[in-house]
Amino acid sequence: MSAETETLDELVLTLRKPVEHGGMTYTQLTLKEPTAAQWNEWDGKKGVDADITAISVIAGVPSQAVAKIGARDIITASRFIARFLE
């Protein structure tokens, strides 16, 4: 199970399964409100591609690593980010 620590401005999401990429092991994502410049990096993308890019940009994790994260954690992270864009 994942663990979450959330404030109004930040979500620390402990991944259900750690992800390895490029010699690094990722166990958590720290997400915050995106800046306009960050938002611009995934603007125009759709669906899962937009989610992967958004999470990668905000958490500072390579998109190839984010693509390996389980769907439930991706959904949790993308819903948190979406709250700032409504």
Side-chain angles (χ1 to χ4, degrees), residues 21 45 49 52-57 60-69:
H21 178 75
K45 292 187 178 192
D49 287 335
I52 289 170
T53 304
I55 294 164
S56 171
V57 168
V61 173
S63 60
Q64 298 91 336
V66 175
K68 297 176 183 178
I69 294 172

Side-chain angles (χ1 to χ4, degrees), residues 7-79:
T7 66
L8 292 176
D9 295 324
E10 182 177 279
L11 170 68
V12 178
L13 175 64
T14 301
L15 302 177
R16 287 175 167 80
K17 290 183 179 181
V19 169
E20 294 185 22
H21 178 75
M24 298 281 299
T25 300
Y26 299 93
T27 60
Q28 289 185 332
L29 299 174
T30 301
L31 302 166
K32 300 178 181 181
E33 179 177 3
T35 65
Q38 288 173 322
W39 187 7
N40 194 48
E41 291 190 46
W42 71 85
D43 188 38
K45 292 187 178 192
K46 296 182 181 190
V48 177
D49 287 335
D51 293 336
I52 289 170
T53 304
I55 294 164
S56 171
V57 168
I58 295 169
V61 173
S63 60
Q64 298 91 336
V66 175
K68 297 176 183 178
I69 294 172
R72 291 178 291 174
D73 289 334
I74 292 292
I75 290 167
T76 299
S78 63
R79 285 182 179 163

